[in-house]
Amino acid sequence: MHIVDGALSNPVVIGGAVAAASGIALGLRSLDIDRLPTAGVLSASFFVASLIHVPIGPSSIHLILNGMAGLLLGWAAFPALFVGLLLQAVFFGFGGLTVLGINTVNIALPAVVASVLFGRLIARGTPLQGAIWGGVGGAFAIAATTGMVAVSLALSGDEFLPAAKLVFFTHIPVMAIEAVLTGFAVLLARKVKPELFVKGVTT
Amino acid sequence: MAHILGQQDKTLAEAGGRPEGLISPLDPRMRIVMAVVFAVVTVALSSLTALCAALAVSLSLLTLSRLPWRKTLKRMAMMDGFILFMLVLLPFSMPGDPIFTLWGFPASWQGFWKAVEIALTANAVILSLMVLVGTMEPVTLGHALHRLHCPEKLVYLLMFTIRYIEVLREEYLRLRAAMKVRGFRPTTNWHTYRSFGYLVGMMLVRAIERSERILGAMKCRGFTGRMLLLQDFALTRRDIAFVAGLGVLCTGLIILEFA
């Protein structure tokens, strides 16, 4: 899901950086002293969760869980996911430096939108109903992220169109798995710590 | 936060012991700034000569840093694995002079060179980033970003994340061990996905509860929203020489591009 340096055109890279900066600024504003440790620990958990490999057929995929990040963090998902991407690029060489902005937007914006759309639905009703909406939110976030990756590639030139389509279609199984996992994660959280989604952690 | 990628895959600096190269004594702030400058210049390049020169600059930085060559380049190649499909598609999707035809799809030279260009740029940038910034202690990175006037809260968030990645990874491994003891083996079935979902949910619930304890402990010690970042940096003559040297090389790359 990472885009690397050199693939995108300058307007896309610059636009991404500006959008990411505004998202991060909004997210930081929503973090006060009491929420800072929560956001930090959650940011670390999503970093660790992204290292979990889930088997699918003969291959395996790694989790992204940006939908879940959005549900728990709201706008703070922007700085939290940015920090994760920064650490991945610097210490593990995934992604790139000039594309940090666009990569952050592609992952964090769907997270925030998912929390706006599905946040209330997940907190309402029985835990099972919440879990189903959680699954829908998880699938939505991945679909939106791959869609945005495809759009950022397509905007950079028509020659990327086949690659953009391929990114989208190869990620359909990822969407399904993220949906199921997010659903069960919400189910567990609703049962173990029901107040989590009711008041939200950071919103 | 080093052992994240598994036992064999530590961060590069730790994998090779502390490398006593010429990069690690340099001022972290200047290393970050120059990594950004180099990345921006490299992304702006498009001629193959200039891009090869940029990759050569990254490789010489790697030599100077005395990082283990094989491990570093292997990690760089891991990223290439991700973008391979895009590079392979490019010759077929870009119109131009045909090289050969595969199943009726013509591959073009223009697309091929575009793919080479992207691969060179991506590798040059990520290699220089790993060598210049990736060799720092993660905590030093936070301090240096603070001194470079990054937003305070963002730096705190970064420091929290760095601090707890290792803790949470251990917790994850504990939970996985508990699952294994109970006979869990991941395959492609509903039970696996449900178990992984519960695992993720449990990790997040525990993380939030942990953060409540952390906040309590910090408040008990008088935390008011400011952390004191005490590490101070001073520019030495060596740092200025490094900035000047890499600056000249970057200017050279730009000249090479337009020559």
Side-chain angles (χ1 to χ4, degrees):
Chain A
M1 209 65 98
H2 297 102
I3 301 177
V4 295
D5 286 307
L8 300 178
S9 66
N10 289 339
V12 177
V13 171
I14 295 167
V18 171
S22 355
I24 292 169
L26 271 171
L28 289 177
R29 193 172 294 172
S30 78
L31 284 178
D32 55 20
I33 320 172
D34 290 352
R35 288 165 186 157
L36 198 60
T38 316
V41 176
L42 281 177
S43 166
S45 350
F46 285 109
F47 190 100
V48 173
S50 74
L51 302 165
I52 304 179
H53 281 259
V54 179
I56 171 165
S59 160
S60 73
I61 58 160
H62 79 88
L63 297 175
I64 303 172
L65 292 175
N66 56 339
M68 198 70 194
L71 292 173
L72 291 174
L73 288 161
W75 275 99
F78 253 97
L81 294 171
F82 168 76
V83 162
L85 286 173
L86 177 71
L87 292 174
Q88 282 187 344
V90 167
F91 292 106
F92 303 130
F94 295 155
L97 186 58
T98 58
V99 284
L100 262 181
I102 186 83
N103 279 339
T104 306
V105 174
N106 285 346
I107 288 189
L109 191 59
V112 174
V113 174
S115 84
V116 171
L117 290 180
F118 303 106
R120 280 216 195 117
L121 292 167
I122 284 165
R124 265 206 316 236
T126 63
L128 186 64
Q129 282 167 335
I132 289 166
W133 282 114
V136 174
F140 165 82
I142 300 295
T145 295
T146 38
M148 284 173 70
V149 169
V151 167
S152 12
L153 283 171
L155 280 178
S156 297
D158 290 339
E159 66 269 22
F160 291 111
L161 221 53
K165 281 183 196 153
L166 191 67
V167 167
F168 192 81
F169 288 114
T170 50
H171 276 80
I172 288 174
V174 183
M175 287 168 212
I177 290 190
E178 290 256 347
V180 175
L181 258 73
T182 310
F184 278 118
V186 169
L187 184 64
L188 181 112
R190 280 284 309 263
K191 283 184 178 163
V192 177
K193 209 173 161 67
E195 72 277 15
L196 193 62
F197 295 107
V198 176
K199 60 175 180 21
V201 185
T202 56
T203 42
Chain B
M1 56 158 285
H3 314 277
I4 302 300
L5 286 178
Q7 285 305 358
Q8 300 84 27
D9 292 308
K10 303 168 178 181
T11 55
L12 291 165
E14 292 180 22
R18 296 245 17 109
E20 274 308 311
L22 289 170
I23 301 286
S24 41
L26 293 170
D27 190 320
R29 292 172 301 173
M30 291 303 118
R31 279 150 72 187
I32 295 172
V33 170
M34 289 320 285
V36 174
V37 169
F38 180 75
V40 170
V41 168
T42 307
V43 169
L45 301 177
S46 60
S47 89
L48 283 178
T49 347
L51 283 169
C52 286
L55 188 59
V57 171
S58 294
L59 287 172
S60 29
L61 285 172
L62 173 61
T63 318
L64 287 179
S65 72
R66 300 238 183 105
L67 281 172
W69 271 74
R70 258 191 50 207
K71 275 191 185 125
T72 315
L73 293 180
K74 215 166 107 188
R75 191 152 293 176
M76 192 175 85
M78 248 159 79
M79 176 202 69
D80 293 330
F82 285 122
I83 57 171
L84 200 63
F85 77 90
M86 189 176 84
L87 299 181
V88 171
L89 275 179
L90 264 178
F92 297 98
S93 57
M94 211 166 163
D97 314 321
I99 319 173
F100 61 88
T101 311
L102 190 68
W103 297 312
F105 294 102
S108 71
W109 281 111
Q110 278 84 348
F112 174 72
W113 290 121
K114 177 89 184 170
V116 171
E117 192 186 299
I118 292 174
L120 284 174
T121 315
N123 284 313
V125 172
I126 209 72
L127 184 58
S128 68
L129 183 67
M130 282 195 293
V131 169
L132 289 177
V133 186
T135 44
M136 279 175 211
E137 282 293 318
V139 176
T140 310
L141 173 67
H143 283 127
L145 285 175
H146 182 243
R147 294 278 179 258
L148 287 169
H149 300 289
C150 264
E152 223 165 36
K153 276 190 205 163
L154 188 61
V155 175
Y156 296 161
L157 191 63
L158 179 76
M159 304 287 267
F160 267 113
T161 308
I162 290 166
R163 167 68 181 82
Y164 284 102
I165 280 177
E166 190 55 34
V167 176
L168 292 170
R169 186 175 158 275
E170 271 164 20
E171 183 151 283
Y172 163 67
L173 292 177
R174 263 201 305 282
L175 288 167
R176 275 305 285 273
M179 288 164 82
K180 200 173 181 183
V181 165
R182 287 160 182 77
F184 173 72
R185 247 191 312 168
T187 48
T188 308
N189 59 21
W190 191 249
H191 173 70
T192 303
Y193 297 144
R194 187 176 54 197
S195 309
F196 272 125
Y198 285 160
L199 171 68
V200 168
M202 199 66 230
M203 274 177 65
L204 293 172
V205 168
R206 283 192 180 188
I208 285 162
E209 286 179 345
R210 183 188 292 275
S211 79
E212 284 161 6
R213 295 194 299 274
I214 295 166
L215 181 68
M218 289 178 72
K219 276 193 167 162
C220 163
R221 289 161 181 79
F223 179 62
T224 54
R226 269 189 74 94
M227 277 189 268
L228 296 175
L229 301 176
L230 295 174
Q231 203 166 345
D232 237 328
F233 305 105
L235 277 184
T236 61
R237 210 171 286 166
R238 199 192 264 184
D239 298 320
I240 294 166
F242 159 72
V243 171
L246 201 50
V248 167
L249 284 175
C250 286
T251 322
L253 288 175
I254 296 171
I255 293 170
L256 206 58
E257 166 80 14
F258 292 106

Coordinates of all heavy atoms in Angstrom, one line a residue, chain B residues 146-207:
Chain B
H146 N 12.5 17.7 17.5 CA 12.1 18.7 18.4 C 12.9 20.0 18.2 O 12.4 21.1 18.1 CB 12.2 18.3 19.8 CG 11.7 19.2 20.8 ND1 12.5 19.8 21.8 CD2 10.5 19.8 21.0 CE1 11.9 20.6 22.5 NE2 10.6 20.7 22.1
R147 N 14.2 19.8 18.1 CA 15.1 20.9 17.9 C 14.9 21.6 16.5 O 15.3 22.7 16.3 CB 16.6 20.5 18.0 CG 16.9 20.0 19.4 CD 17.2 21.2 20.4 NE 17.5 20.7 21.7 CZ 16.7 20.8 22.7 NH1 15.5 21.3 22.5 NH2 17.0 20.3 23.9
L148 N 14.4 20.8 15.6 CA 14.1 21.3 14.2 C 12.7 22.0 14.2 O 12.2 22.2 13.1 CB 14.2 20.2 13.2 CG 15.6 19.7 12.8 CD1 15.5 18.5 12.0 CD2 16.4 20.8 12.1
H149 N 12.1 22.2 15.4 CA 10.9 22.9 15.5 C 9.7 22.2 14.9 O 8.8 22.8 14.3 CB 10.9 24.3 14.9 CG 12.0 25.1 15.6 ND1 11.8 25.6 16.9 CD2 13.2 25.5 15.2 CE1 12.9 26.3 17.3 NE2 13.8 26.2 16.3
C150 N 9.7 20.8 15.0 CA 8.5 20.1 14.7 C 7.5 20.4 15.8 O 7.9 20.7 17.0 CB 8.8 18.6 14.8 SG 9.1 18.0 13.1
P151 N 6.2 20.3 15.5 CA 5.2 20.6 16.6 C 5.5 19.7 17.8 O 5.7 18.5 17.7 CB 3.8 20.2 16.0 CG 4.1 20.3 14.5 CD 5.5 20.0 14.3
E152 N 5.4 20.3 19.0 CA 5.8 19.6 20.2 C 4.9 18.4 20.4 O 5.5 17.3 20.7 CB 5.5 20.6 21.4 CG 6.6 20.6 22.4 CD 6.5 21.8 23.4 OE1 5.4 22.2 23.7 OE2 7.6 22.3 23.7
K153 N 3.6 18.5 20.2 CA 2.8 17.3 20.5 C 3.1 16.2 19.6 O 3.0 15.0 20.0 CB 1.3 17.7 20.3 CG 0.7 18.4 21.5 CD -0.8 18.5 21.3 CE -1.4 19.6 22.1 NZ -2.8 19.9 21.6
L154 N 3.5 16.5 18.3 CA 3.8 15.4 17.4 C 5.0 14.7 17.9 O 5.1 13.5 17.8 CB 4.0 16.0 16.0 CG 4.2 15.1 14.8 CD1 2.9 14.2 14.7 CD2 4.5 15.8 13.5
V155 N 6.0 15.5 18.4 CA 7.2 14.8 18.9 C 6.9 13.9 20.1 O 7.4 12.8 20.2 CB 8.3 15.9 19.2 CG1 9.5 15.3 19.9 CG2 8.7 16.7 18.0
Y156 N 6.1 14.4 21.0 CA 5.7 13.6 22.2 C 5.0 12.3 21.7 O 5.3 11.3 22.2 CB 4.7 14.4 23.1 CG 5.3 15.6 23.7 CD1 4.4 16.6 24.2 CD2 6.6 15.8 23.8 CE1 4.9 17.7 24.8 CE2 7.2 17.0 24.4 CZ 6.3 17.9 24.9 OH 6.8 19.1 25.4
L157 N 4.1 12.5 20.7 CA 3.4 11.3 20.2 C 4.4 10.3 19.6 O 4.3 9.1 19.8 CB 2.4 11.7 19.1 CG 1.4 10.7 18.6 CD1 0.5 10.3 19.7 CD2 0.6 11.3 17.4
L158 N 5.4 10.8 18.9 CA 6.5 10.0 18.3 C 7.2 9.3 19.4 O 7.5 8.1 19.4 CB 7.4 10.8 17.5 CG 8.6 10.1 16.8 CD1 8.1 9.3 15.7 CD2 9.7 11.1 16.4
M159 N 7.6 10.0 20.5 CA 8.3 9.4 21.6 C 7.5 8.3 22.3 O 8.0 7.3 22.7 CB 8.7 10.5 22.6 CG 9.5 11.7 22.0 SD 11.1 11.2 21.6 CE 12.0 11.7 23.1
F160 N 6.2 8.6 22.5 CA 5.4 7.6 23.1 C 5.3 6.3 22.3 O 5.4 5.2 22.8 CB 3.9 8.1 23.3 CG 3.6 8.7 24.6 CD1 3.4 10.1 24.7 CD2 3.6 7.9 25.7 CE1 3.1 10.6 25.9 CE2 3.3 8.5 27.0 CZ 3.1 9.9 27.1
T161 N 5.2 6.5 21.0 CA 5.1 5.4 20.0 C 6.4 4.6 20.1 O 6.3 3.3 20.2 CB 4.8 5.9 18.6 OG1 3.7 6.8 18.7 CG2 4.5 4.8 17.7
I162 N 7.5 5.3 20.0 CA 8.8 4.6 20.1 C 8.9 3.8 21.4 O 9.3 2.6 21.4 CB 9.9 5.6 19.9 CG1 10.0 6.1 18.5 CG2 11.3 4.9 20.2 CD1 10.9 7.3 18.4
R163 N 8.5 4.4 22.4 CA 8.7 3.8 23.8 C 7.8 2.5 23.9 O 8.2 1.5 24.5 CB 8.3 4.8 24.8 CG 8.1 4.2 26.2 CD 9.4 3.8 26.8 NE 9.2 3.2 28.1 CZ 8.8 1.9 28.4 NH1 8.5 1.2 27.4 NH2 8.7 1.5 29.6
Y164 N 6.6 2.6 23.3 CA 5.7 1.5 23.6 C 5.6 0.4 22.5 O 5.0 -0.6 22.7 CB 4.3 2.0 23.9 CG 4.3 2.6 25.3 CD1 4.4 3.9 25.6 CD2 4.4 1.7 26.4 CE1 4.5 4.4 26.8 CE2 4.5 2.1 27.7 CZ 4.6 3.5 27.9 OH 4.7 4.0 29.2
I165 N 6.3 0.6 21.3 CA 6.2 -0.4 20.3 C 6.8 -1.7 20.8 O 6.2 -2.8 20.7 CB 7.0 0.1 19.0 CG1 6.2 1.0 18.2 CG2 7.4 -1.1 18.2 CD1 6.9 1.6 17.0
E166 N 7.9 -1.6 21.5 CA 8.6 -2.8 22.0 C 7.7 -3.5 23.0 O 7.5 -4.7 23.1 CB 10.0 -2.5 22.5 CG 10.8 -3.7 22.8 CD 11.0 -4.6 21.6 OE1 11.0 -4.2 20.5 OE2 11.1 -5.9 21.9
V167 N 7.2 -2.7 24.0 CA 6.3 -3.2 25.0 C 5.1 -4.0 24.4 O 4.8 -5.1 24.8 CB 5.8 -2.1 25.9 CG1 4.9 -2.6 27.0 CG2 7.0 -1.4 26.6
L168 N 4.5 -3.3 23.5 CA 3.3 -3.9 22.9 C 3.6 -5.1 22.0 O 2.8 -6.1 21.9 CB 2.5 -2.9 22.1 CG 1.9 -1.8 23.0 CD1 1.4 -0.7 22.1 CD2 0.8 -2.4 23.8
R169 N 4.8 -5.1 21.4 CA 5.1 -6.3 20.6 C 5.3 -7.5 21.5 O 4.9 -8.6 21.2 CB 6.4 -6.0 19.9 CG 6.7 -7.1 18.9 CD 7.9 -6.8 18.1 NE 8.5 -8.0 17.6 CZ 9.4 -8.7 18.3 NH1 9.8 -8.3 19.4 NH2 9.8 -9.8 17.8
E170 N 5.9 -7.2 22.7 CA 6.1 -8.3 23.7 C 4.7 -8.8 24.1 O 4.5 -10.0 24.2 CB 6.9 -7.9 24.9 CG 8.4 -8.1 24.6 CD 9.3 -7.3 25.6 OE1 8.8 -7.0 26.7 OE2 10.4 -7.1 25.3
E171 N 3.8 -7.9 24.3 CA 2.4 -8.3 24.7 C 1.8 -9.2 23.6 O 1.2 -10.2 23.9 CB 1.6 -7.1 25.0 CG 0.2 -7.5 25.5 CD -0.3 -6.4 26.4 OE1 0.1 -6.3 27.5 OE2 -1.2 -5.6 25.9
Y172 N 2.0 -8.7 22.4 CA 1.5 -9.5 21.2 C 2.0 -10.9 21.2 O 1.3 -11.9 21.1 CB 1.8 -8.7 19.9 CG 1.7 -9.6 18.7 CD1 0.4 -10.0 18.3 CD2 2.8 -9.9 17.9 CE1 0.3 -10.8 17.1 CE2 2.7 -10.7 16.8 CZ 1.5 -11.1 16.4 OH 1.3 -11.9 15.3
L173 N 3.4 -11.0 21.4 CA 4.0 -12.3 21.4 C 3.5 -13.2 22.5 O 3.3 -14.4 22.4 CB 5.5 -12.2 21.4 CG 6.1 -11.5 20.2 CD1 7.6 -11.4 20.3 CD2 5.8 -12.4 18.9
R174 N 3.3 -12.5 23.7 CA 2.7 -13.3 24.8 C 1.3 -13.9 24.5 O 1.1 -15.1 24.7 CB 2.5 -12.4 26.0 CG 3.7 -12.5 27.0 CD 3.3 -11.9 28.4 NE 2.7 -10.6 28.4 CZ 3.5 -9.5 28.3 NH1 4.8 -9.6 28.3 NH2 2.9 -8.3 28.3
L175 N 0.5 -13.0 23.9 CA -0.9 -13.5 23.5 C -0.8 -14.6 22.4 O -1.5 -15.6 22.5 CB -1.7 -12.3 23.0 CG -2.2 -11.3 24.0 CD1 -2.7 -10.1 23.3 CD2 -3.2 -11.9 24.9
R176 N 0.2 -14.4 21.5 CA 0.3 -15.5 20.5 C 0.8 -16.8 21.1 O 0.4 -17.9 20.7 CB 1.3 -15.0 19.4 CG 0.7 -14.2 18.3 CD -0.5 -14.8 17.6 NE -0.1 -15.9 16.7 CZ 0.2 -15.7 15.4 NH1 0.2 -14.5 14.9 NH2 0.4 -16.8 14.7
A177 N 1.7 -16.6 22.1 CA 2.2 -17.8 22.7 C 1.1 -18.5 23.4 O 0.9 -19.8 23.4 CB 3.3 -17.5 23.7
A178 N 0.2 -17.7 24.1 CA -0.9 -18.3 24.8 C -1.8 -19.1 23.8 O -2.4 -20.1 24.1 CB -1.7 -17.2 25.5
M179 N -2.0 -18.5 22.7 CA -2.9 -19.1 21.6 C -2.2 -20.4 21.2 O -2.9 -21.4 21.0 CB -3.1 -18.2 20.5 CG -4.0 -17.0 20.8 SD -3.9 -15.7 19.5 CE -4.9 -16.3 18.2
K180 N -0.9 -20.4 21.0 CA -0.2 -21.5 20.5 C -0.3 -22.7 21.5 O -0.5 -23.9 21.1 CB 1.2 -21.2 20.2 CG 1.9 -22.1 19.3 CD 3.3 -21.6 18.9 CE 4.0 -22.5 18.0 NZ 5.4 -22.0 17.7
V181 N -0.1 -22.4 22.7 CA -0.2 -23.4 23.8 C -1.6 -24.1 23.8 O -1.7 -25.3 24.0 CB 0.0 -22.7 25.2 CG1 -0.4 -23.6 26.3 CG2 1.5 -22.3 25.3
R182 N -2.6 -23.3 23.4 CA -3.9 -23.9 23.3 C -4.2 -24.5 21.9 O -5.4 -24.8 21.6 CB -5.0 -22.8 23.6 CG -5.0 -22.5 25.0 CD -5.7 -21.1 25.3 NE -5.6 -20.8 26.7 CZ -4.6 -20.4 27.4 NH1 -3.4 -20.2 26.7 NH2 -4.7 -20.1 28.6
G183 N -3.2 -24.7 21.1 CA -3.3 -25.5 19.9 C -3.7 -24.7 18.7 O -4.2 -25.2 17.7
F184 N -3.6 -23.3 18.7 CA -4.0 -22.5 17.6 C -2.9 -22.5 16.5 O -1.8 -22.3 16.7 CB -4.2 -21.1 18.0 CG -4.5 -20.1 16.9 CD1 -5.7 -20.2 16.3 CD2 -3.5 -19.2 16.5 CE1 -6.0 -19.3 15.2 CE2 -3.8 -18.3 15.5 CZ -5.0 -18.4 14.8
R185 N -3.4 -22.9 15.3 CA -2.5 -22.8 14.1 C -3.2 -22.1 13.0 O -4.3 -22.5 12.6 CB -2.1 -24.2 13.6 CG -0.6 -24.5 13.9 CD -0.1 -25.7 13.2 NE -1.0 -26.8 13.4 CZ -1.0 -27.9 12.8 NH1 -0.1 -28.1 11.8 NH2 -1.8 -28.9 13.0
P186 N -2.6 -20.9 12.6 CA -3.3 -20.1 11.6 C -3.4 -20.8 10.3 O -2.4 -21.2 9.7 CB -2.5 -18.8 11.5 CG -1.2 -19.1 12.1 CD -1.4 -20.3 13.0
T187 N -4.6 -20.9 9.7 CA -4.8 -21.4 8.3 C -5.9 -20.5 7.7 O -6.3 -19.5 8.3 CB -5.3 -22.8 8.3 OG1 -6.4 -22.9 9.2 CG2 -4.2 -23.8 8.6
T188 N -6.4 -20.8 6.6 CA -7.4 -20.0 5.9 C -8.8 -20.5 6.4 O -9.4 -21.3 5.7 CB -7.3 -20.1 4.4 OG1 -5.9 -19.7 4.1 CG2 -8.2 -19.1 3.7
N189 N -9.3 -20.1 7.5 CA -10.7 -20.5 7.9 C -11.2 -19.5 8.8 O -10.5 -18.6 9.4 CB -10.7 -21.9 8.5 CG -9.8 -22.0 9.7 OD1 -9.5 -21.1 10.3 ND2 -9.5 -23.3 10.0
W190 N -12.5 -19.6 9.1 CA -13.3 -18.6 9.9 C -12.7 -18.6 11.3 O -12.6 -17.5 11.9 CB -14.7 -19.1 9.9 CG -15.7 -18.1 10.5 CD1 -16.4 -18.2 11.6 CD2 -16.0 -16.8 9.9 NE1 -17.1 -17.1 11.8 CE2 -17.0 -16.2 10.8 CE3 -15.7 -16.1 8.8 CZ2 -17.5 -15.0 10.6 CZ3 -16.2 -14.9 8.5 CH2 -17.1 -14.3 9.4
H191 N -12.4 -19.7 11.8 CA -11.8 -19.8 13.2 C -10.6 -18.9 13.3 O -10.4 -18.2 14.3 CB -11.5 -21.2 13.6 CG -10.8 -21.4 14.9 ND1 -11.5 -21.1 16.1 CD2 -9.6 -21.7 15.2 CE1 -10.6 -21.3 17.1 NE2 -9.5 -21.6 16.6
T192 N -9.7 -19.0 12.3 CA -8.5 -18.2 12.4 C -8.8 -16.8 12.4 O -8.2 -16.0 13.1 CB -7.6 -18.6 11.1 OG1 -7.3 -20.0 11.1 CG2 -6.3 -17.8 11.1
Y193 N -9.7 -16.4 11.5 CA -10.0 -14.9 11.4 C -10.6 -14.4 12.6 O -10.4 -13.3 13.1 CB -10.8 -14.7 10.1 CG -10.1 -15.0 8.8 CD1 -10.8 -15.5 7.8 CD2 -8.7 -14.8 8.8 CE1 -10.1 -15.9 6.6 CE2 -8.0 -15.2 7.6 CZ -8.7 -15.7 6.5 OH -8.0 -16.0 5.4
R194 N -11.5 -15.3 13.2 CA -12.2 -14.8 14.5 C -11.1 -14.7 15.6 O -11.1 -13.7 16.3 CB -13.2 -15.9 14.9 CG -14.1 -15.4 16.1 CD -15.2 -16.3 16.4 NE -14.6 -17.7 16.6 CZ -15.4 -18.7 16.6 NH1 -16.7 -18.7 16.4 NH2 -14.8 -19.9 16.8
S195 N -10.2 -15.7 15.6 CA -9.2 -15.6 16.7 C -8.3 -14.4 16.5 O -8.0 -13.7 17.5 CB -8.3 -16.9 16.7 OG -9.2 -18.0 16.7
F196 N -7.9 -14.1 15.3 CA -7.1 -12.9 15.0 C -7.8 -11.6 15.4 O -7.3 -10.7 15.9 CB -6.6 -12.9 13.6 CG -5.3 -13.6 13.3 CD1 -5.2 -14.6 12.4 CD2 -4.2 -13.3 14.1 CE1 -4.0 -15.3 12.2 CE2 -3.0 -14.0 13.9 CZ -2.9 -15.0 12.9
G197 N -9.1 -11.6 15.0 CA -9.9 -10.4 15.4 C -10.0 -10.2 16.9 O -9.8 -9.1 17.3
Y198 N -10.2 -11.3 17.6 CA -10.2 -11.2 19.1 C -8.8 -10.7 19.6 O -8.7 -10.0 20.5 CB -10.6 -12.5 19.7 CG -12.1 -12.8 19.6 CD1 -12.5 -14.1 19.8 CD2 -13.0 -11.8 19.4 CE1 -13.9 -14.5 19.7 CE2 -14.4 -12.1 19.3 CZ -14.8 -13.4 19.4 OH -16.1 -13.7 19.3
L199 N -7.8 -11.3 19.0 CA -6.4 -10.9 19.3 C -6.2 -9.4 19.2 O -5.7 -8.7 20.1 CB -5.4 -11.7 18.5 CG -4.0 -11.3 18.6 CD1 -3.4 -11.7 19.9 CD2 -3.2 -12.0 17.5
V200 N -6.6 -8.9 18.0 CA -6.5 -7.4 17.8 C -7.3 -6.7 18.8 O -6.8 -5.7 19.4 CB -6.9 -7.1 16.3 CG1 -7.0 -5.6 16.2 CG2 -5.9 -7.6 15.3
G201 N -8.5 -7.1 19.0 CA -9.4 -6.4 19.9 C -8.8 -6.4 21.3 O -8.8 -5.4 22.0
M202 N -8.3 -7.5 21.7 CA -7.7 -7.7 23.1 C -6.5 -6.7 23.2 O -6.3 -6.1 24.2 CB -7.3 -9.1 23.3 CG -7.1 -9.5 24.8 SD -8.6 -9.4 25.6 CE -8.1 -8.4 27.0
M203 N -5.6 -6.7 22.1 CA -4.5 -5.9 22.2 C -4.9 -4.4 22.4 O -4.2 -3.7 23.1 CB -3.7 -6.0 20.9 CG -2.7 -7.2 20.9 SD -1.9 -7.3 19.3 CE -1.0 -5.8 19.2
L204 N -5.9 -4.0 21.6 CA -6.3 -2.6 21.7 C -6.9 -2.3 23.1 O -6.6 -1.2 23.7 CB -7.3 -2.3 20.6 CG -6.7 -2.4 19.2 CD1 -7.8 -2.2 18.1 CD2 -5.7 -1.3 19.0
V205 N -7.8 -3.2 23.6 CA -8.3 -2.9 24.9 C -7.2 -2.8 26.0 O -7.2 -1.9 26.8 CB -9.3 -4.0 25.3 CG1 -9.7 -3.9 26.7 CG2 -10.6 -3.9 24.4
R206 N -6.3 -3.7 25.9 CA -5.2 -3.7 26.9 C -4.3 -2.5 26.7 O -3.9 -1.9 27.7 CB -4.3 -4.9 26.7 CG -4.9 -6.2 27.2 CD -3.8 -7.2 27.2 NE -4.3 -8.5 27.8 CZ -3.5 -9.5 28.0 NH1 -2.2 -9.4 27.8 NH2 -4.0 -10.6 28.5
A207 N -4.1 -2.0 25.4 CA -3.3 -0.8 25.2 C -4.0 0.4 25.8 O -3.3 1.2 26.4 CB -3.2 -0.6 23.7

